[in-house]
Amino acid sequence: MKKYLSILLVALAMPFTVTPVNAATEVTFWHMEGVPHRVDRIQSLIDEFNSANPDVVVTQEVQNWGEIYAKAPASVASGTAPEILVGIPDFTPILAEMGAAQPVDDFISELDSKYGFYSKALDQYTYNGHTWAVPLWNMAISVWYRKSVLEAAGVQPPTTWSELEAAAKALTKDGMYGIGLPGNKQLYTDQTIYSFMVNSGASEIYNSDGSLRFDNEGTVKAYDAYKNLYQYSAPDAANWTWGEAEACFASNGCAMILQFTVISTYDSQAEGDAEDLGVIQIPYADGMADSAGTVSYVNSAMIMTDDAAKMDASKRFISFLMEPGNYGRFINMEPGLFLPITEAGSKDDTFWNDPVAVKYKSQIETMLDNSTRGSLFGFTNGNTFTSISAISAQNLLSQTLQLAIIDGQNAASAVAEGQSIMTEAIE
Amino acid sequence: MKYQNKEGWIFVAPLLCWLAFSICVPLYIAIELSFFDIKIIGTEGKFVGFKNYIKTLNSSKFPKALTNSIYWVLANAITQTFFAFLIALTLNKHFKGVKIATNWIILSFIIPTVVIVVIWKLMLSSSSGIINSLLVQFHIIDKPIGFFSSSTSAFVSLVLINSWRWSPFLALIILSGLKSINQEIYDASKIDGASFYAEFFQITLPQLKGVLFVLGLVGTLLSFNVFDIIWLITKGGPSSATTTLPLLIYETAFTKFRISQAAALSVITSFILLTFSIVFIKIMGKDND
Amino acid sequence: MIKDKGKLFLGGSLSVIFIIFFFPFFWIISSAFKSPQEIIQKDSTIVPRSFTFEHFEKILFSSDFLIYLKNSLIVSFFSMFIAVILSIFAAYGLHKLKFYGNKLVERSLLVTYAFPGVILLIPMYLMLGKMGLLNSYFALILINVTFSTPFAVWMLKAFFKTIPYDIEEAAMIDGASKITILFKIIFPLALPGIASVSIFCFIISWTEYMFASIMISGDDLKTLPVGLASIVGQYQIDWGFLLAGATLASLPVIILFIFVGKYFVSGLTDGAVKQ
C-alpha cells in the first residue's frame, strides 16, 4: 500500500517538478482598440502567429484610453508591465525616460530596409539619438464634406483660410453648421488647432534648447483664424471628441469637419454614398504657397522588456504584423481609419482589397497622400523633449484655444498666456 | 448598562482591520510620497520636506479648485435637498401606485455612472439630443444650446445631472424619517390650524434632525469627492470651470506626471474635509446619537 | 377647497418627478432600438420610427459583454457578502455593547468618506502590485467593501435600534451568549434592514469605475462599467451600440430590484430611522 501511495504521489508531483525544455515565451500585448471587431481582427492575427510560432504565446489585453496615462507607468512601477505596449507619440518620451521603453534602432533599420518607413512617421519616435518605438499606423486629419451640399450652396472646396471662412459662412443655414470645429480641452482639439498652425508656418513649438517658441506670429494667425471659424460650429462643440464631430457630419448637421476619417460612420450611420463624399487637404493661411501638410498621429509598438527571450519574441510578433499580407489586414481592423506607414504597406493588397477600401478608394488615396505630409507638435525637426508629454497630456494647445473661444480673449493674448501656462507646466 | 469593552471591540475588530489595510496603509504611503519630489510613479525622488505643500498653497490652481469645490458642494446640496424633499413629501402621501413609484424612483442611483454619462451626453447634445429638439420645437429657444459650452452652463448642467443621480436615494432616506414621525403631532397641529409651511418648518424638519445630520455630513463628503461624472463629461473644462479638487488631484498625478505634488494636494484636501467633519459633528452632533 | 389644491400639488409634483426621473430611461431604451440614422438625426424623436435589434445583437454576440457581466456579478456578490457580514458585526458591536470609544469609532467610520478616492488609488495600486494581487477579483472586492461599509454600518445600527430591548433582555436572562442573540434574535428581526444594506453594498460595487479600470488590466476580468467604456471607440462612436450597452448594463440591477427592491425600499422607509 505504502509503495503504491508513494508512486502515486511522485506521479502526481511530476508535472510540477519537471521543467519543460522549451517553455513558451509569453508576450502580453497592451493596446487601446477596444471596439469588438478590432479586437477580433487582432485576435485572428495573434492566433495565426501563435500557431506558426509554437515557442511564443502572445496575448492581447485591451486598456481604456482614459486610463492608460495612469496605468502604464503604474504597471512599470509595480513590475507588471506588458512586453509590448501600443505607444502614442506624446507618451513615449516619458516611458523612454523612465527606462521602460527600449531603444529599437537596429530593429528599425532591419524593418526599414525591408519595408521602407515614411520618414515623417519615424520622426515622431526618434529623439535623444535613438528610436524608441516601431511605428505601426498613421492617422492624419483632412477636411471632409459632401459634394452635393457644397454644390447646392454654390461653394467651391476651399484652399485658403479666407475661402474656408467664406465657405463656412455660406454653408451655415437651415439648421446646418458650416464647419464643425471642436472646442474641447482634449486631444482632438489639440490636433485640429495644430493642423491650422502647420499651415501658417507655426509647426515648430520648441527652440533647439527646449524652450518654447509657441508664442509667435504664425501661431497667433492660426488661433485667430480658428476663433473666427468657431462661430460657425455647433453650440456643443466645446464638448466634442472625434465621435461627436463625426456624428454631426453623419447626420448632416455639419457641412464640413476636420477629422481623421468619417468613412465608417458615413457608411453605416449615414447615406454611404461614396460618390458624394469629398475629402481635401487642410486649407492654408492666405499668403502661403500651398498647404504645408496636416497633423498626423502615428501609433507605434513599444518594447517594454529587456529580457532577451521576450524581446526577441516581441520583435518576431511585430515583424509578423508589418509583413505585407498581414499588415493590410492588421490596420484594416478599422477600414478607412488607420493608414500605412511603410512603402510596402501602402502597396499591400490586403489593405486595398478590403470592401470598404474598394468602395472609398479615392478618398483613402487622398487621405494617404495627405498623411505623408503630416507632422505632430513637439516632434518636428528633431526638437523633441520629454516636456512634450506634459504639454500634450494636459491638452495645453486646446486650453489656450479655450482662452480665446470661450473666455473671449483675442488670439494674441491667449497665445501669450498659453505660452506661460506651458512654460510653467514643463519646469 | 454595563460597559462591555472587550466584547464590543471584538465585534468591531474585523471591519476595523479591513479598513486599516485598505485606508490607513495607502494613506500612509500617500503622506510619505508627499514629502518627496517624485514625478512619475516608480521613479526616484529626493526628500523635499514641505516644499510640495508650500507650492500647492501658493499656486493659483489650488484656490480656484477649492472655490469650485465649495460652489459644487453648495449647489448640489441645495438642488438635491429641494428634489429629495419634493420626492419624499410626494411619496409620503397615499395615492394609487405610490408603492411602485417608491420602489422605482431609485432607478437613477442604481445604474453605473458610465450609463448616466451616456444618457445625458446624448440627451443634451445640440445635434442629436432630445432636450434641444423639444426646446426648439416648442419655440422656447430658436437655436440649440450648448449645455456644456460655457463655464456657467457646464457647471450648472453637471450639478443637475449629479443631483438627478443622488436625489432619489436621499429622498428615500428622508422618507424613512418622515414615516417615523408620529402622525398625532400633525393631527394636533391641524386642529390648531397650522399652514403647510408652519408644519414643515416647525414639525417636520425638527423631527428629521437625526436623518439630516447624517445626510449633511456624509452627503457633503460624498458630494465633494464626486469624480467620475465630472471627469467623464467635461474633464474639468471648459477652461477649468468644473475642475474641483478631486479632479485637480487626478490631473496633477496623471496628466502633469507629478505624483508627489498630487499626494500633497490630497493630504491638504483630506485635512480640509476632516476639519469640516469635526466642526460639523461638534456643532450638529450635540443631541444626536 | 384645500383638498383640491392639495391634489393639484400632488398631481403636479408627481408629473414633474415622473418626467425628470423616468423619461430619460424611456428615451435611452427606446433609442437603443432605433436605426443608426434615426439615433443621430437632428430632429430627435421620442417615439421611435424605426425598429432594429442590431445593436443588441452586436453587443451580446460580438462583444465581450457577457464576460463583463459575469465579472460584475461575481465581484458585486462577493463584495456584498463580505461587506454585510463585517457590517453586521460592527454595527452590533457599536449598538448593543456600549464600550468606551463607541462614539469615536462610529464617527470615524463615517469620516472615512473624507478621503477622496484618488488619494488611495496609486498607493493601493503599488501595494497590491507588490503583493501580486493586481488584476484579481480581490483587488476590487477590497475597494468595494471599503467604500460601502461605513454607510452600511450606520444604516444597520439604525435598524438594530428599532428592535425592542425586551426581547434581547429576555434572551440574556435565559443565559444566551451575545453571538446567539445576534444570529437567532436580532438577525431575523432586522432582516428587511439587512436586505436593504445588502442591496446598497451590491449597488456600490456594481457602479464602481475608477478603481476597476486601473486595477484590472486583463480583458477576462473587466467589470461592466469598464467594459462599456472600452467598447466605445476612441475615434468613432457607434451610438446604437453604446445605447444598447447602457441598457443592458442597467438591466441586471433592474431585474434584481424587481425581486428585492421592495425590501430595500421598505427597509429604508418603514420607520427604520427612529429619532
Side-chain angles (χ1 to χ4, degrees), chain C residues 20 90 103 123 138 141 166 170 194 201 203 223 234 239 246 273:
Chain C
I20 295 180
K103 257 199 159 58
F138 176 73
I141 294 175
D166 324 334
I194 292 177
C201 295
I203 288 170
T223 56
Q234 168 83 328
W239 292 100
V273 180

Side-chain angles (χ1 to χ4, degrees), chain B residues 3-5 11 22 90 102-103 106 110 123 127-129 133 164 176 179-180 207 214 225 266 273-274, chain C residues 13 20-21 27 40 42 44 89 97-98 100 111 113-114 119 124 146 154 203 257 261-262 268-269 273 275:
Chain B
Y3 279 81
Q4 294 148 322
N5 290 353
F11 274 95
S22 63
T90 308
T102 312
N103 201 37
I106 194 101
I110 64 180
M123 280 186 56
S127 326
S128 328
S133 204
W164 181 82
S176 73
K179 283 199 189 287
S180 71
Q207 289 282 324
V214 178
N225 289 327
S266 319
L273 290 176
L274 277 173
Chain C
S13 62
I20 295 180
F21 290 95
W27 193 67
I40 58 172
K42 266 183 294 184
S44 314
F89 274 99
L97 311 170
K98 302 224 184 297
Y100 187 72
V111 154
Y113 290 124
I119 192 182
M124 203 171 281
T146 305
W154 174 74
I203 288 170
F257 224 64
K262 56 181 196 269
L268 274 186
T269 60
V273 180
Q275 302 308 310

Side-chain angles (χ1 to χ4, degrees), chain A residues 110-169:
Chain A
E110 186 193 315
L111 293 172
D112 198 17
S113 57
K114 279 199 270 192
Y115 310 124
F117 281 109
Y118 291 132
S119 57
K120 275 202 181 282
L122 285 175
D123 282 350
Q124 298 192 8
Y125 291 98
T126 310
Y127 33 88
N128 295 345
H130 294 285
T131 307
W132 298 95
V134 182
L136 288 177
W137 65 72
N138 197 1
M139 294 173 289
I141 290 191
S142 311
V143 177
W144 297 85
Y145 61 96
R146 286 178 174 80
K147 297 180 187 160
S148 55
V149 170
L150 258 59
E151 266 171 41
V155 170
Q156 290 290 347
T159 52
T160 64
W161 286 0
S162 46
E163 284 174 24
L164 182 62
E165 195 176 338
K169 192 164 175 198

Side-chain angles (χ1 to χ4, degrees), chain A residues 252-272:
Chain A
N252 242 317
C254 290
M256 302 184 281
I257 59 167
L258 275 72
Q259 245 292 32
F260 291 132
T261 181
V262 301
I263 290 178
S264 60
T265 38
Y266 180 73
D267 203 48
S268 63
Q269 297 176 35
E271 322 82 276

